[in-house]
Amino acid sequence: HALMDEVDLLIQEVLEAESAKRETFGALFLRYVGLDPHTADRNALERAARVVGEAPFAASELEVDDWLNLLMARVIEPQLGQDRPFFVYDYPVCLKALARLRDETQPVAERFELYYRGMELANGYHELTDLREQRARFEDDRKRREALGLAAVHEDGPFLDALEAGLPKSAGVALDFDRLVMIAASAT
C-alpha cells in the first residue's frame, strides 16, 4: 500500500489527476461478473464469460487463471479509471506472478495494477523473497508449459542465487512510460 501511495502521488503530479480510487480484485469481480474470483471454478468462469459474449473458440483449453484474466480484461478493465486513476489490488492466488502471498481467511497475492483512461499504467508487487516458494513456482510453471507443449524455459539461476543470498523485503512497480506520456499528451 505504501508503494501504491507513491505511485498515486507521481500520477497526481505528472498528470494533474485526482487521487486514485482503490478496490480489491475480489470486490470488482463480484460487482461486474457476479462471482468470487478466489473460489469460482473453471466452469463457473466459463459460463460467466459466455453470458457476456467473451468465450473464445478454444475455451476448453483455458484454466481458471486464463478465465480470470479474460474476464478482467474484457468486462472489468474497461470500467476502470475513466474519470480518475484506479488501483486494483489483492489478486487471487492463481494470479500471483512474482508477488508474495498474504495468508488470511482467503489468501491473496500482494500485487496491484493501476488503470487510467482505459489503460493499464502500472503493475506492482510486494516481491516474493522466499527461495523455496520461488523454486516451486518455477517448477509449476515448467510443468504447465510442458503439458501445453510449449518450449521449456530454464530457471533464472542468477535470480535464484540472489534470493538464496538474501533479498530484503521489498516492493517494485513497472510503470509504462509510453502510456503515461500518451495520457499526458492527450494522444491516442
Side-chain angles (χ1 to χ4, degrees), residues 85-96:
F86 196 107
F87 284 105
V88 178
Y89 65 98
D90 285 354
Y91 279 63
V93 169
C94 67
L95 299 178
K96 62 190 169 281

Side-chain angles (χ1 to χ4, degrees), residues 29-121:
F29 224 83
L30 281 169
R31 181 177 337 130
Y32 290 107
V33 180
L35 294 172
D36 180 342
H38 303 286
T39 59
D41 66 17
R42 188 195 164 289
N43 293 329
L45 293 165
E46 181 177 357
R47 282 192 303 274
R50 290 191 185 288
V51 166
V52 295
E54 292 296 343
F57 181 75
S60 64
E61 297 173 15
L62 300 181
E63 299 296 330
V64 167
D65 57 335
D66 300 315
W67 287 110
L68 290 171
N69 281 324
L70 176 76
L71 287 163
M72 181 66 172
R74 298 296 186 95
V75 177
I76 300 171
E77 286 179 13
Q79 314 298 320
L80 305 178
Q82 294 302 322
D83 59 339
R84 65 194 267 197
F86 196 107
F87 284 105
V88 178
Y89 65 98
D90 285 354
Y91 279 63
V93 169
C94 67
L95 299 178
K96 62 190 169 281
L98 298 175
R100 288 175 48 139
L101 299 181
R102 188 173 64 245
D103 287 327
E104 295 184 347
T105 305
Q106 180 63 61
V108 293
E110 293 184 331
R111 60 178 286 213
F112 67 83
E113 291 183 357
L114 173 65
Y115 297 88
Y116 192 39
R117 297 193 181 154
M119 285 185 274
E120 179 187 328
L121 283 182

